[in-house]
Amino acid sequence: MHFDDLLLILGGFGRYQKIRLFLICLVGILCAFHAMNMVFVGAKPGYQCRIGQTNLSRKEFANTTFEDWERFLRNSGKGCSIYSPSQTYDLIVNGNLTIDGSKVTGDSSLSTESCTDWEYSQDVYGPTIVSEFDLVCSQAWLRSTAKTLYFFGRVIGSVVFGQLSDIFGRKPMFLSGLLSLLVAGCVASAAPSMAVFIPFYILQGAAQTGLYLVAFTMCTELVAPQYRVMAGFMIQGFYSIGYMALSLMSYYIRHWRYIELVITLPVVLFSVYLCILPESIRWLLSKNKIEDATTIIKNVARVNNVELTDTMLENLNDEKEQAEVADGRKYTFIDLFRPLPMLAISINVWFNWFVNAMVYYGLSLGTGNLGGDPYINFCIAGAVEIPAYVLCVLFLNKLGRRWPLCGTMVVGGLSCIVSGFVPSDLVAVKVTFAMIGKFGITASYAIIYLMTAEVFPTVVRNAGMGVSSMTAKIGGMLAPIILELRLVWIPLPLVLFGILSVLAGALALILPETAGKPLPQTIEETISNKSKKVGKEKGDAMPTDDGKNAIC
């Protein structure tokens, strides 16, 4: 009996699956902590030049107060340079320069000096890596570079954990991800410099992505085919809960080192999964480990109160899906680029992944730039994800894939553009449109993730998903860099995000509709898109790569 048929008899979503699914989904909260912690760990507080000890006497300022003198020095170079303290002092004492509040009269031929020490405001954020390691002015590039390198770590994690989980199993790599995250988070929290912090932050990105990838795969392999979409969105929902919880913890903890510790130490609690979390039955069957798979299947039957017969356990691995067509030809990722119609579909899909990841992380990491309370903004940004997932589950099978993908991306993109042009003093309006944009891009990310697995044919599906994941990581790496463009023009990042979203949404209409159709087996079926529609498909596809990874 094929395992999917047996799983329906055992209970495709019985008590056993519900308990294990809940336990695995809890990891989604942990992954959200580590995916988004840079929003608060790397927050950029207000800063100004620190004026060191001076022998200048306050009493010698005849026409200028000492406070006006300090303010005048600091305001001269936007926090990166100051007027020469001794020169301005001499001019004031000699009566050649008068500072009265914001009014300055007298000699203006003043030289400037570069700041070497700064004072940081703690009105909004507590100590961050920016304030502790002075990542401002000439060192400001290290802040955005750390974020970009984090996404580079995610690329490594998706490749390494994806391959190794297929070789050694889901459970060993799941536990390896937890251990790596524990080590990386603890060392990063104690880092004495950016030279130590960055390598372990890269490892943190690799571990977080790898852990989420394996957890997502385990969720979708745990349940019957008709429940895969729900299981996939369920772990994403837990991710959103972690997203919101991070803002609450950061608000009360404030110090970046303690934030790192608090989001890392709970990893220890998951050590009990070594005993209670089983290996994926599907992976065991794929490796012909029938005896181990049978043991777990019997446990599933016992927990779900189902009687098994020997006949049911016969020939469990007889119907393994074939990755090659009847002619025996070996397909590779090169086939994603030929013929021309297949190339057009591939590039379209990858561009959508690229834009979705860039905008998703751009909006997530940029909540502090919207104005108002950054903790509330971040919490709202996480909260809008949950209804986005719910709507996907409710309407995707009814409305198809293309039009919802186009609609959510266009609405999200236009909202980003509007938010960019809303005046800074209208904080509520600006945040509202940004959150509509976040809602749209969250929904579209989930849709393109599902649609990709349905568009690419079986012979190149894994390769197509792998390249899609890579383009998403590249988009994520560019997001922090684009956010820095606000120094050129404040609305520029949101305008770019919006334009790219609208463009990608429009191109999505060219993709073939996949809802209600069987998964294509060959490239020819994908190109022709002539598969007959079926009823509610038993095995709605849910890929096993990290889609936010989906969306982590």
Side-chain angles (χ1 to χ4, degrees):
M1 179 181 290
H2 190 274
F3 178 64
D4 280 339
D5 297 324
L6 176 60
L7 194 54
L8 288 174
I9 297 173
L10 293 174
F13 194 57
R15 183 169 179 265
Y16 179 93
Q17 285 89 348
K18 290 175 182 176
I19 293 174
R20 271 69 183 179
L21 183 63
F22 174 76
L23 292 174
I24 297 172
C25 285
L26 288 176
V27 174
I29 297 176
L30 194 66
C31 289
F33 289 164
H34 288 270
M36 297 296 176
N37 65 341
M38 186 55 85
V39 173
F40 302 108
V41 168
K44 185 178 180 180
Y47 64 96
Q48 60 184 7
C49 284
R50 186 194 304 275
I51 300 177
Q53 296 295 324
T54 176
N55 294 323
L56 306 181
S57 171
R58 292 172 181 261
K59 296 180 180 179
E60 293 185 44
F61 287 94
N63 301 316
T64 300
T65 67
F66 194 84
E67 289 72 20
D68 284 341
W69 175 69
E70 284 188 319
R71 190 182 307 111
F72 175 69
L73 295 180
R74 290 192 178 112
N75 290 342
S76 58
K78 296 184 178 179
C80 293
S81 61
I82 58 173
Y83 289 128
S84 170
S86 58
Q87 184 185 16
T88 54
Y89 172 79
D90 290 339
L91 290 173
I92 292 172
V93 171
N94 295 330
N96 296 324
L97 182 67
T98 301
I99 306 171
D100 183 9
S102 59
K103 185 179 179 181
V104 180
T105 57
D107 193 338
S108 60
S109 57
L110 298 171
S111 60
T112 58
E113 300 175 357
S114 296
C115 286
T116 57
D117 195 12
W118 293 266
E119 296 176 353
Y120 296 92
S121 168
Q122 294 195 12
D123 293 341
V124 178
Y125 302 106
T128 69
I129 60 171
V130 174
S131 59
E132 184 152 342
F133 302 130
D134 288 332
L135 305 185
V136 294
C137 299
S138 63
Q139 297 296 307
W141 63 274
L142 277 171
R143 175 173 173 260
S144 57
T145 299
K147 295 180 182 180
T148 299
L149 289 176
Y150 173 82
F151 282 95
F152 174 71
R154 297 185 65 172
V155 174
I156 297 173
S158 64
V159 173
V160 172
F161 278 79
Q163 293 295 315
L164 294 184
S165 67
D166 284 340
I167 297 173
F168 299 109
R170 316 305 190 207
K171 184 176 178 179
M173 296 313 300
F174 181 90
L175 297 173
S176 298
L178 287 170
L179 180 60
S180 300
L181 199 60
L182 179 63
V183 172
C186 288
V187 176
S189 69
S193 66
M194 287 298 288
V196 176
F197 178 83
I198 288 179
F200 283 93
Y201 194 57
I202 293 173
L203 178 59
Q204 200 171 331
Q208 177 269 324
T209 295
L211 177 61
Y212 190 88
L213 180 154
V214 178
F216 191 91
T217 301
M218 294 176 78
C219 285
T220 58
E221 292 182 342
L222 182 66
V223 299
Q226 61 266 43
Y227 297 105
R228 288 179 192 165
V229 172
M230 183 191 67
F233 283 119
M234 185 172 171
I235 190 172
Q236 292 174 8
F238 274 77
Y239 176 93
S240 299
I241 292 172
Y243 195 135
M244 292 183 286
L246 177 61
S247 66
L248 183 65
M249 290 190 301
S250 299
Y251 177 80
Y252 286 104
I253 298 173
R254 298 288 173 147
H255 199 296
W256 76 272
R257 294 188 185 275
Y258 300 139
I259 293 175
E260 275 284 339
L261 274 180
V262 168
I263 66 176
T264 299
L265 291 181
V267 172
V268 177
L269 300 177
F270 289 91
S271 60
V272 298
Y273 283 25
L274 178 64
C275 302
I276 64 177
L277 196 65
E279 181 56 88
S280 166
I281 299 175
R282 294 181 187 276
W283 181 83
L284 291 171
L285 292 176
S286 72
K287 297 300 180 181
N288 205 32
K289 298 185 177 185
I290 307 301
E291 185 176 342
D292 293 337
T294 301
T295 301
I296 299 176
I297 289 172
K298 289 180 178 179
N299 188 32
V300 176
R302 180 182 59 80
V303 175
N304 289 349
N305 295 319
V306 175
E307 279 194 29
L308 279 178
T309 65
D310 292 337
T311 305
M312 294 177 184
L313 296 175
E314 291 177 357
N315 304 320
L316 279 174
N317 63 337
D318 271 2
E319 297 186 42
K320 294 166 70 177
E321 182 181 47
Q322 300 301 312
E324 314 299 335
V325 290
D327 60 9
R329 176 187 167 192
K330 186 71 175 177
Y331 285 80
T332 68
F333 80 97
I334 298 297
D335 291 286
L336 294 166
F337 299 87
R338 59 189 183 192
L340 189 59
M342 188 69 228
L343 173 62
I345 291 174
S346 298
I347 292 177
N348 196 340
V349 169
W350 297 333
F351 181 68
N352 267 273
W353 275 76
F354 173 82
V355 172
N356 271 277
M358 177 189 293
V359 179
Y360 178 87
Y361 286 106
L363 292 175
S364 298
L365 297 175
T367 51
N369 298 331
L370 296 175
D373 192 314
Y375 298 94
I376 294 177
N377 293 347
F378 188 81
C379 186
I380 295 173
V384 298
E385 292 191 357
I386 296 178
Y389 296 141
V390 171
L391 287 177
C392 286
V393 173
L394 293 177
F395 295 111
L396 275 186
N397 285 335
K398 296 178 181 178
L399 301 178
R401 312 289 194 247
R402 287 189 308 177
W403 282 103
L405 176 59
C406 173
T408 51
M409 293 205 74
V410 170
V411 170
L414 292 177
S415 298
C416 287
I417 295 173
V418 172
S419 178
F421 286 103
V422 172
S424 300
D425 55 333
L426 298 177
V427 175
V429 178
K430 192 177 189 68
V431 171
T432 298
F433 278 102
M435 292 305 106
I436 294 174
K438 182 68 183 326
F439 174 90
I441 208 67
T442 298
S444 66
Y445 208 161
I447 296 170
I448 190 60
Y449 183 71
L450 174 60
M451 191 176 182
T452 301
E454 298 174 336
V455 165
F456 287 124
T458 300
V459 292
V460 289
R461 183 168 297 120
N462 285 338
M465 288 299 300
V467 178
S468 298
S469 179
M470 292 290 287
T471 57
K473 301 302 183 298
I474 294 172
M477 290 173 66
L478 291 177
I481 298 174
I482 291 179
L483 287 174
E484 294 299 319
L485 293 179
R486 71 188 307 270
L487 298 177
V488 178
W489 182 41
I490 292 179
L492 186 55
L494 286 171
V495 171
L496 285 177
F497 291 151
I499 292 174
L500 289 172
S501 295
V502 172
L503 177 59
L507 290 175
L509 293 178
I510 306 175
L511 292 171
E513 180 57 74
T514 60
K517 295 185 178 182
L519 297 180
Q521 301 298 314
T522 67
I523 290 176
E524 288 71 23
E525 288 181 15
T526 295
I527 294 172
S528 62
N529 194 33
K530 291 181 179 178
S531 301
K532 291 183 179 179
K533 280 200 172 187
V534 294
K536 186 177 181 181
E537 194 172 348
K538 174 183 175 183
D540 267 356
M542 203 67 192
T544 56
D545 190 19
D546 66 332
K548 194 169 275 149
N549 316 348
I551 291 181
C552 177

